[in-house]
Amino acid sequence: MSENATAAATGASATERFQATSNGAADTPPERLSTLIRQVLAGVHATIRDNDVTYPEYDALKAWLIQVGRDGEWPLFLDVFVEHVVEEVATADRHGSKGAIEGPFYVPDAPEFGAEATLPMRENERGLKLTFHGQVRAVDGRPLPGAKVDIWHNGEEGFYSQFVPDIPEWNLRGVITTDHSGRFRIHTIKPTPYQIPTDGSTGALIRAAGWHAYRPAHLHLKVTAPGFRPITTQLYFPGDPHNDSDIADGVKPELMLAPTAVGGALDAEYDFVLDPA
Ligand code: MBD
Ligand code: FE
């Protein structure tokens, strides 16, 4: 386990990354903002009334909120506990493949590859070999050549490159371009379950509430093609002990891979179907 893989280091990187890539302004009209904030506050007020929340509990909340910011864990906390509903609402009208939460660890502009590639990894990268392949199609069945399959995932230590100091930049990240028949083939390793950092405020809350802090092993993907709505999704592995209790509620039955074991390695096939823009 990396010594420097602290919640503060990971959180600071995730916060910095978010601030660098988000435009941060949704142009929300005052009436809509007023409605949203009123409803959030009404939920908080109801929680306090229903549970006779005390001043010490209120002060503990203030202290905890202050600490989440200090730890840089707002991206982590929000993506774990809130994003799944935003994703559900944003993609409800789609006919193509199911999406899933992006999470805090995506980095744009990963190294680009052709239709078949081995993701950047260390010479001694641990983990079960995995070949992940499939086809990108439109909802009308047309294959989509030149589509981009942007993939990122963790390795055996559980961490994502770019968010802890001692993993090489772009490790287990890459952008694959589909061939003339919309197909791609990615050689990588099987990801491992992700544990929310235990030494930060999100971990402290999870512990205090008596929950477990795990996400099941998952591949993250963004699939894009000009003229089509991009898909941000995740794929999961059958039998993972956390598939039914993902702390981030990101698992959907449609996102479960059905890998086959081929001589000590895994082979998994999954096709992506894109909605027109
Ligand atoms: C992750 O790896 C992740 O995918 C999400 C959604 C939240 C926290 C960590
Ligand atoms: Fe993840």
Side-chain angles (χ1 to χ4, degrees), residues 221-233:
L221 298 127
K222 280 179 184 284
V223 182
T224 58
F228 291 86
R229 287 171 70 174
I231 293 182
T232 299
T233 193

Side-chain angles (χ1 to χ4, degrees), residues 27-37:
D27 268 339
T28 311
E31 314 77 60
R32 179 166 168 83
L33 184 65
S34 174
T35 302
L36 299 184
I37 298 303

Side-chain angles (χ1 to χ4, degrees), residues 87 91-100 135-141 144 223 228-233 252 254-255 270-277:
E87 193 278 331
T91 63
D93 62 339
R94 292 199 182 196
H95 302 283
S97 298
K98 282 282 178 203
Q135 187 185 37
V136 181
R137 292 188 301 271
V139 281
D140 64 10
L144 296 176
V223 182
F228 291 86
R229 287 171 70 174
I231 293 182
T232 299
T233 193
K252 303 176 186 182
E254 298 88 346
L255 302 177
Y270 196 88
D271 295 347
F272 298 99
V273 179
L274 269 51
D275 284 73

